[in-house]
Amino acid sequence: MIETLRLPNRGPVVLILAACVASGVALTFWPSLALLVLLGAVLLAALSATGRAFFAFFLLFLVFQDPLRFLIANDDSPAGLLIKWLDEAMLYVLGTVAILFQVRVHRVLQETRVAVTLVVIYAGLILSSLVAQTTLWPSVMDLALFSKPFLLFVLGVAAAPSDLEVKRFTPAIVLGMTLVVLFAIVFLAFPGLQETYIGSFRGTDERVGLISAQGFFDGAGGYSWFCAASFALAYAAYLCYERPVFLFAAIIDACFVLLSWRRKSIVGVLIMLLVAVLVRSGPGRASRARTLLIVGLAIISAVVLLTPYFAALWDYTVAEYGGSDPYANARKALHYGSLLIARDHFPLGTGLASFGSHASRVYYSEVYKTYGLSSVPGLEPQFSEYITDTFWPMVLGEGGVVSFAAYVFFLMILLKGGWTLARRAANTTEARLIALSALFLLVGSISESTSSPIYNTTMQSALVMVPLGVMWERRTRGGS
């Protein structure tokens, strides 16, 4: 068995040589694909000294996946297809290796609460599929995609760093993430460059009369969550090390969360601040009251200073979610439809590849017609772009109350573990940093998941589940 997610030193060298050979052959037929492979080989060579080369390459690829799509290829070319699906291929390979051979992962999966919860989640999905007699291949495809957050959690467990590594790499990670966040300034200052960069992939996003900051990402939603995740790490580092540079980075990240004008990410950052104060407050009622007062005053001050923009966001929210018609838009219809499914199929759901998932969109599910969703804009057979715009309706609709309740319980287990570890006095500074970062990211992601498929999107999910895996591994071996 192996104790950490490392490969022999020869591993990167062999794969780099193979990549060079493959790129040389591909150069004749697909120049853009050859360039992509060569860039990957060079990056892998640079990362090979870390001892976690493939894991680090995977995380960096997630961050720069969108620029690679925009600059090197389109989604229909060989290079475009490779870029589009490489993240999932790497995740399944690394996750499978970790589950089969990683001692740390075995230790975590043998914990009764974690094991039972995961079994119940999958049991609800599989039983619902058997009862509903769903088609095999779409169900397998959906089950694989559904497993992404759990595989990312496993990778976090497998690659959990030591205290020395945390202390050594935290400044570099905070700096790197903040630089990615700051890149949005280029496109905010020169919108024409952004239109040229994105091309035909999607239009420029605007809210409250302003262009939304989205950096070099595919959309403002992914960018805003990256900013929130960067804020979580920077602010946790400031609380633990008390270095002003970390606080400065956190302020920058929070500002760009606001400039993305994404409500869920803004609320997520506010919840992170509340949790930070509660974690650091004393056990008495007076201490907690002071904590709530401070956070309340901060929120009121922000609202007063930005009243016109928050008013516009509120109007936007009312227009999107207000009204009594549950079929007014795709997200409302998906939430309402999942409740109807949970009622009609209690305690199960309609099974895999049937509701709110990518597979139910590719293999258009009859469930949408049954519950009247097939006529909602964005959920129609001809245009089903918004089917994957939510997360919890998918869990409730496909796995029923069984899977939904177990999934919520799984997140609550992690929430309790992070809270306990963050408040444990005997922790090392690095253990506390891990716990605080994971705790911030979890509460922020819960806010994000209310109307976003955050746990199903590889990059966004990795920013949550990998740190949670690192935190849980630390908790399993005693915190310090």
Side-chain angles (χ1 to χ4, degrees):
M1 296 292 180
I2 55 177
E3 181 61 25
T4 57
L5 190 62
R6 300 167 183 265
L7 292 179
N9 292 333
R10 296 178 183 175
V13 176
V14 172
L15 285 186
I16 290 167
L17 290 175
C20 290
V21 172
S23 63
V25 174
L27 187 61
T28 307
F29 305 100
W30 307 296
S32 59
L33 179 61
L35 176 61
L36 174 64
V37 175
L38 281 171
L39 288 174
V42 172
L43 180 59
L44 195 58
L47 293 171
S48 62
T50 67
R52 294 178 176 85
F54 296 99
F55 178 68
F57 177 80
F58 170 66
L59 294 181
L60 283 173
F61 178 79
L62 295 182
V63 175
F64 294 101
Q65 186 175 22
D66 288 343
L68 289 172
R69 287 174 58 213
F70 295 149
L71 297 175
I72 294 181
N74 60 66
D75 284 346
D76 296 326
S77 67
L81 292 173
L82 175 63
I83 295 169
K84 187 175 181 179
W85 301 112
L86 186 58
D87 61 323
E88 291 173 358
M90 287 192 290
L91 173 58
Y92 295 134
V93 171
L94 288 171
T96 301
V97 170
I99 291 173
L100 292 177
F101 304 111
Q102 234 284 335
V103 175
R104 292 176 175 178
V105 175
H106 297 168
R107 191 183 303 136
V108 167
L109 294 180
Q110 287 169 3
E111 289 189 61
T112 303
R113 288 184 302 169
V114 173
V116 170
T117 304
L118 291 176
V119 168
V120 173
I121 291 172
Y122 281 96
L125 284 168
I126 294 172
L127 287 174
S128 298
S129 302
L130 292 174
V131 171
Q133 297 182 338
T134 57
T135 308
L136 179 60
W137 172 243
S139 297
V140 171
M141 174 183 175
D142 195 20
L143 190 64
L145 295 175
F146 183 86
S147 300
K148 287 201 293 187
F150 302 113
L151 290 174
L152 289 164
F153 176 77
V154 162
L155 289 185
V157 173
S162 64
D163 281 356
L164 182 61
E165 289 173 319
V166 171
K167 187 174 182 178
R168 177 185 174 189
F169 290 113
T170 294
I173 294 173
V174 169
L175 174 62
M177 294 183 74
T178 304
L179 289 175
V180 171
V181 169
L182 285 171
F183 184 84
I185 294 175
V186 176
F187 289 152
L188 288 175
F190 305 100
L193 290 178
Q194 184 172 8
E195 294 176 4
T196 304
Y197 166 73
I198 295 178
S200 60
F201 281 88
R202 70 161 64 225
T204 302
D205 186 86
E206 291 187 16
R207 285 196 180 181
V208 298
L210 300 171
I211 295 177
S212 301
Q214 66 182 65
F216 53 61
F217 290 93
D218 184 20
Y223 172 78
S224 68
W225 177 243
F226 185 91
C227 293
S230 183
F231 168 84
L233 177 59
Y235 192 56
Y238 169 71
L239 294 177
C240 292
Y241 294 119
E242 298 183 349
R243 292 173 57 183
V245 65
F246 290 133
L247 178 60
F248 183 62
I251 292 172
I252 290 174
D253 297 329
C255 289
F256 279 90
V257 169
L258 182 60
L259 289 174
S260 72
W261 302 112
R262 283 305 182 271
R263 296 153 294 179
K264 298 180 295 294
S265 297
I266 294 172
V267 172
V269 168
L270 293 176
I271 295 174
M272 291 179 199
L273 288 171
L274 174 61
V275 169
V277 181
L278 289 175
V279 167
R280 291 168 61 84
S281 67
R285 290 185 177 180
S287 177
R288 293 186 184 276
R290 287 194 299 270
T291 292
L292 295 174
L293 179 62
I294 293 171
V295 173
L297 289 174
I299 294 173
I300 292 171
S301 301
V303 170
V304 170
L305 290 172
L306 299 167
T307 294
Y309 301 108
F310 279 113
L313 276 180
W314 175 255
D315 293 339
Y316 184 87
T317 302
V318 170
E320 185 175 5
Y321 296 110
S324 58
D325 183 7
Y327 297 99
N329 58 59
R331 284 180 178 169
K332 284 183 67 175
L334 287 168
H335 281 87
Y336 182 67
S338 68
L339 293 174
L340 296 180
I341 292 171
R343 179 198 65 186
D344 295 343
H345 296 264
F346 183 85
L348 301 175
T350 50
L352 290 160
S354 66
F355 192 82
S357 60
H358 179 70
S360 72
R361 176 187 167 194
V362 174
Y363 305 92
Y364 193 81
S365 172
E366 291 296 318
V367 172
Y368 299 117
K369 298 178 181 178
T370 303
Y371 286 91
L373 274 67
S374 59
S375 59
V376 177
L379 306 180
E380 305 150 309
Q382 300 81 9
F383 180 72
S384 55
E385 185 74 20
Y386 300 150
I387 280 179
T388 55
D389 262 14
T390 60
F391 176 74
W392 293 111
M394 178 201 70
V395 179
L396 182 59
E398 293 192 344
V401 175
V402 173
S403 293
F404 180 85
Y407 212 122
V408 171
F409 186 68
F410 175 73
L411 295 182
M412 291 304 102
I413 290 174
L414 299 179
L415 183 64
K416 182 181 178 182
W419 181 272
T420 302
L421 191 60
R423 291 179 66 90
R424 186 177 296 167
N427 281 343
T428 63
T429 302
E430 286 68 33
R432 193 158 179 270
L433 171 59
I434 290 171
L436 282 174
S437 300
L439 188 59
F440 293 164
L441 289 164
L442 178 55
V443 296
S445 72
I446 291 173
S447 168
E448 193 82 17
S449 70
T450 54
S451 57
S452 161
I454 180 172
Y455 299 122
N456 282 345
T457 306
T458 310
M459 189 272 287
Q460 294 171 256
S461 184
L463 291 170
V464 186
M465 301 308 293
V466 170
L468 283 174
V470 173
M471 179 275 294
W472 197 257
E473 189 279 334
R474 182 60 65 103
R475 175 200 166 277
T476 302
R477 58 184 169 98
S480 61

